[in-house]
Amino acid sequence: MKSVVRRLALVGVSTVVVAVGGAALAEVVSGRPTPSPSFNGPVYAIAHRGDVVYVGGNFTSALVGGKSVARPRLAAYNARTGALLAWNPGADATVRALAVDGATVYAAGDFDRVAGMARDAVAGVDASTGKPTTLKHSVLGQPNALAVGNGRLYVAGRLTAVDGAPRTNLAAFSLATGALDGWAPTTDNTVNALAVYGNRVYLGGGFHKTNGVSSTLRLTAVDGTTAVLDKSFLPKPVSQVFALTADANGVYAALGGQGGRAIAYTFGGAARWTRVFDGDAQAIATLDGTTYVGGHFDKACTTTNNGVKGVCTDGSVPRVKLAAVDGAGNLTDWAPQGNGVVGVRTLAANPALGLLSVGGDFTTLAGSAQKRYAAFGGPNSPEAGPVAPESPYVASYNFDSTVTDGTFDDGSGNGHLLKALAVNGGAVRTVPHGAGQGIAFPAKCAGTACARVVLQATDVPDLNPGAKNLRYGADVLLSPAETSSGENIMQKGYSTAGGQYKLQVDGISGKPSCVMSDKTDPAIHVAKSQTSVADGDWHTIECRRTGTTLSILVDDKESASATVPATLEVVTPQPLSIGGKGTGVNNDQFHGSLDDVWISVG
């Protein structure tokens, strides 16, 4: 059977979180919007130039202090003061994309006229006066995205020709002269998004071929000068890409499909982390090490698993239209809950001001009226804002990301990093699981020279449940050839040293069991499954202590239970160990694969 991926990363970051070793993690912007205009129609596009924010969409008025000010589909305001500017070129139909280069604002969309002058789908506008530049072309099709770089204005969408010259969804113009450029890669379907980093132009959309090459689907990179496909970047995301951005750490994509996903990729196309939502992710931006995601989702899934209509199948937390993710892929507690069906359509970041701009169809954010545009952070940022509910886990490990010293991140936000202790060359290796990865432990071996490895987190009080209710579990992959007399999946403490809670696989038959003992009584209490999990498939195993009952669940079904004293307490100074109880010869080494290990207290 296909494993049901269990609980993954939840994290609580306020403004700055300090990880083990003192390394500061990413800082998020305030959760309260700064002063800015609102708009009477959807915002599709945002661009920054110094202190000025340019906004495009399908509105006809800006709303300032309760008054309506005519701004047909293009507007600008000062991010330091929040004041609407006089800049008012106007467009006669929807503006879908904006980009800025020097003193020029570029717009693309459904329009035929800008500032009263004929401009077919693409226009350049003076950033100060609002007057159109000489850029003027005949565009057949609908442009969806703009980007500047390498001396060019790149345009993408559903295009067939420019000035009568064939163009298959992509085109470019010279920033110096405005002339149509020879740059003309092709895709077999719509391109929704562009991002430029260095000489690469990243393309995102619903296509399956780039430059006619098969299996170059949805997210690819081409040379910004020659348009040649870069075959070293072929991540092949599972669903349509709606938005892209890039920074020094890699490329970030917002995806639709069954629910939605935000994925961070290396420049080699490998996934660094994935976050899953219950609706499309439509916008993405990075700022000061944090990735911001917008869309029409209402919840962030606590695993990478979702089901029909994108519903989170293994738990979720509220993230209505907006979410923020730290550099390791963990959710922060930034949660300026929005509203609306479509929600957030676009995000844009201004690192110089520390400003995040948000546009879409919402009418409230952070509990106050904020119609279709909002800004967070920046020079006049409020000091505080709404925070998300706390994580229900005291520790959780999805093994999809590591920090620089090789330890595995704790997705609960409590900083319980796992570090590998090994002897005889023991090591864990990553294995694919679901949309992410799990870890495999050393192969079965006899003798004192066998490779052994255990992952440990330093003891802290919140890992000791005392007499509280307790739940813990993992996803397990074990073949019949990998079983032994006893293999530890997870253990905290010993029966003779402050009590313990443990999940293990007993005997050659491969039947899992949950074990607990009291801090002053070495007697152990065992709930042992009657079902083996040693069949070569992934299984979800969970242990539950509820009052006087200790039960074990296999694939969400109770398999066995035992009675424990109501007074049983676990308060142990021992570290949390995963994959074995230590590195000694008789360490009950686990020989299969694990993923989504978690602990919940209370």
Side-chain angles (χ1 to χ4, degrees):
M1 62 176 258
K2 179 70 175 176
S3 169
V4 178
V5 182
R6 292 298 292 179
R7 297 149 178 85
L8 283 189
L10 292 177
V11 68
V13 180
S14 51
T15 51
V16 176
V17 171
V18 178
V20 173
L25 300 181
E27 182 174 333
V28 296
V29 296
S30 167
R32 295 194 185 280
T34 59
S36 67
S38 288
F39 296 90
N40 71 341
V43 171
Y44 286 84
I46 301 166
H48 293 143
R49 178 178 180 260
D51 294 346
V52 179
V53 181
Y54 297 90
V55 181
N58 196 26
F59 50 85
T60 56
S61 299
L63 308 174
V64 181
K67 296 182 179 180
S68 179
V69 183
R71 289 293 186 274
R73 302 175 185 87
L74 287 165
Y77 85 99
N78 187 296
R80 292 188 180 274
T81 66
L84 182 70
L85 299 180
W87 191 82
N88 183 25
D92 65 349
T94 303
V95 173
R96 298 185 178 276
L98 292 173
V100 172
D101 180 69
T104 303
V105 178
Y106 293 98
D110 304 339
F111 51 80
D112 294 314
R113 303 184 73 82
V114 173
M117 300 180 67
R119 292 293 186 272
D120 183 9
V122 177
V125 182
D126 187 280
S128 298
T129 67
K131 294 181 178 180
T133 69
T134 57
L135 180 75
K136 184 179 180 182
H137 296 275
S138 174
V139 178
L140 190 59
Q142 177 184 291
N144 294 326
L146 294 174
V148 295
N150 306 301
R152 295 171 175 82
L153 172 68
Y154 299 103
V155 185
R158 191 172 62 248
L159 310 175
T160 57
V162 177
D163 298 337
R167 290 293 185 271
T168 310
N169 302 319
L170 294 151
F173 304 98
S174 168
L175 290 173
T177 66
L180 179 65
D181 191 79
W183 186 86
T186 65
T187 62
D188 64 342
N189 209 331
T190 304
V191 179
N192 298 320
L194 294 172
V196 177
Y197 196 83
N199 198 44
R200 269 183 175 179
V201 180
Y202 295 93
L203 320 175
F207 53 85
H208 293 80
K209 292 182 180 181
T210 305
N211 288 353
V213 179
S214 298
S215 298
T216 56
L217 65 166
R218 305 186 185 100
L219 177 55
T220 52
V222 296
D223 188 281
T225 302
T226 66
V228 171
L229 176 70
D230 188 335
K231 294 184 178 180
S232 67
F233 182 83
L234 293 173
K236 301 180 181 179
V238 296
S239 54
Q240 182 171 192
V241 175
F242 285 122
L244 291 173
T245 194
D247 64 15
N249 295 311
V251 183
Y252 306 80
L255 280 63
Q258 180 175 282
R261 294 172 184 265
I263 306 179
Y265 296 99
T266 67
F267 289 116
R272 292 166 43 220
W273 54 254
T274 300
R275 296 300 328 173
V276 177
F277 303 90
D278 69 343
D280 289 344
Q282 302 175 140
I284 198 161
T286 61
L287 181 65
D288 296 332
T290 297
T291 302
Y292 296 90
V293 186
H296 61 75
F297 50 82
D298 295 324
K299 297 176 182 178
C301 302
T302 55
T303 74
T304 54
N305 214 37
N306 59 6
V308 177
K309 296 183 180 179
V311 173
C312 299
T313 55
D314 301 322
S316 62
V317 291
R319 292 294 187 276
V320 187
K321 317 308 179 192
L322 284 167
V325 183
D326 72 15
N330 302 309
L331 282 171
T332 75
D333 65 357
W334 187 79
Q337 317 288 51
N339 72 337
V341 177
V342 174
V344 173
R345 293 180 182 270
T346 184
L347 294 170
N350 183 335
L353 294 182
L355 183 73
L356 177 74
S357 291
V358 181
D361 290 51
F362 53 85
T363 56
T364 65
L365 276 176
S368 61
Q370 199 75 39
K371 296 183 178 180
R372 303 173 186 91
Y373 176 85
F376 298 90
N380 301 311
S381 175
E383 294 184 359
V387 296
E390 292 184 1
S391 167
Y393 309 112
V394 296
S396 65
Y397 306 99
N398 63 19
F399 306 110
D400 289 340
S401 61
T402 61
V403 293
T404 54
D405 63 358
T407 58
F408 287 99
D409 301 308
D410 171 18
S412 75
N414 293 314
H416 306 316
L417 302 185
L418 288 176
K419 183 163 288 192
L421 303 178
V423 295
N424 300 330
V428 294
R429 58 184 175 84
T430 59
V431 294
H433 181 213
Q437 64 186 27
I439 53 171
F441 286 81
K444 190 173 176 180
C445 170
T448 59
C450 292
R452 298 186 293 277
V453 63
V454 59
L455 304 179
Q456 288 191 339
T458 304
D459 171 60
V460 291
D462 64 2
L463 292 174
N464 291 319
K468 296 177 181 177
N469 288 338
L470 173 69
R471 299 170 64 194
Y472 55 98
D475 278 8
V476 177
L477 175 66
L478 195 66
S479 75
E482 292 172 330
T483 60
S484 65
S485 59
E487 301 185 22
N488 275 14
I489 294 171
M490 180 200 311
Q491 180 169 336
K492 179 75 165 71
Y494 297 97
S495 61
T496 56
Q500 72 173 194
Y501 56 92
K502 178 166 63 171
L503 171 58
Q504 62 187 22
V505 177
D506 298 320
I508 301 301
S509 63
K511 295 179 180 179
S513 63
C514 302
V515 180
M516 292 193 75
S517 67
D518 182 68
K519 66 178 182 178
T520 60
D521 185 350
I524 62 172
H525 306 272
V526 181
K528 184 175 181 178
S529 172
Q530 299 306 303
T531 304
S532 172
V533 294
D535 58 4
D537 284 331
W538 283 97
H539 293 278
T540 296
I541 307 174
E542 180 179 337
C543 300
R544 292 182 184 174
R545 185 262 175 100
T546 307
T548 59
T549 301
L550 174 64
S551 55
I552 183 168
L553 289 78
V554 177
D555 297 326
D556 298 314
K557 295 180 180 180
E558 184 172 319
S559 184
S561 64
T563 300
V564 299
T567 57
L568 185 148
E569 290 188 67
V570 180
V571 182
T572 172
Q574 300 298 321
L576 172 67
S577 297
I578 294 174
K581 62 185 178 184
T583 56
V585 174
N586 298 312
N587 77 324
D588 293 336
Q589 179 70 63
F590 184 74
H591 299 300
S593 300
L594 297 178
D595 199 4
D596 305 327
V597 179
W598 58 276
I599 303 167
S600 179
V601 175

